[in-house]
Amino acid sequence: MNIQPEGDVTLVNLPTYYEAQWPATGLKPGDISKPLQLLSWSIEFRIDPAAYNYSFGDGTESGWTEDQGGPYPEGTVRHTYKDTGEGPVKVDAQLTGSYRVNGGANWIPLDGFADLQDEPVTTITVREAKARLYGPNASR
């Protein structure tokens, strides 16, 4: 998961942006597998995202959404923390897939979902910033 602001630290009352990301190796949503040969058929598989659920570490979740999120400022999966502290953040995903035979134009959906839950957890730290104005003769 990508979190912004960077560094897994954010501030109270500041929108924090979340984005589901996939490892650099292996298949990720939208990728098509290398063709598998089964007798005289060449079969390809495609992974399709179905839904994501973001856990924000303060006891709240996004609920299942098709939104993968994104970085600041366009990202639409955001959470604003009300209190300071630390908590575990993660994103669970449901994936589905489809296949095609012999390079056909039509993808055939697979029944069911693959649940990717209990994925890596990141600890986010929520801090509070306080601004103060000092006069020219005030001690700091």
Side-chain angles (χ1 to χ4, degrees):
M1 174 176 3
N2 180 40
I3 303 170
Q4 288 186 330
E6 299 290 332
D8 303 328
V9 176
T10 190
L11 296 173
V12 170
N13 298 322
L14 176 73
T16 303
Y17 290 74
Y18 288 88
E19 178 182 18
Q21 292 185 325
W22 300 93
T25 59
L27 293 177
K28 54 188 170 288
D31 286 352
I32 298 171
S33 72
K34 293 180 183 177
L36 301 171
Q37 197 66 36
L38 178 62
L39 300 175
S40 64
W41 300 293
S42 174
I43 303 171
E44 296 171 291
F45 294 92
R46 181 179 69 197
I47 297 174
D48 300 313
Y52 303 95
N53 184 31
Y54 299 83
S55 297
F56 299 117
D58 61 356
T60 63
E61 297 181 346
S62 66
W64 289 101
T65 176
E66 294 180 5
D67 195 339
Q68 186 176 342
Y72 172 83
E74 292 88 17
T76 53
V77 177
R78 301 177 198 134
H79 182 67
T80 302
Y81 293 88
K82 304 294 181 211
D83 298 304
T84 61
E86 289 185 342
V89 295
K90 66 179 181 131
V91 60
D92 293 328
Q94 289 182 333
L95 302 176
T96 187
S98 51
Y99 69 96
R100 68 181 175 188
V101 178
N102 295 331
N106 295 327
W107 288 92
I108 302 163
L110 296 168
D111 288 334
F113 295 96
D115 284 321
L116 301 177
Q117 297 186 13
D118 300 321
E119 292 303 303
V121 174
T122 301
T123 299
I124 193 159
T125 302
V126 182
R127 296 185 178 149
E128 184 174 29
K130 295 183 180 182
R132 294 186 181 103
L133 296 174
Y134 293 97
N137 298 325
S139 62
R140 296 182 191 164

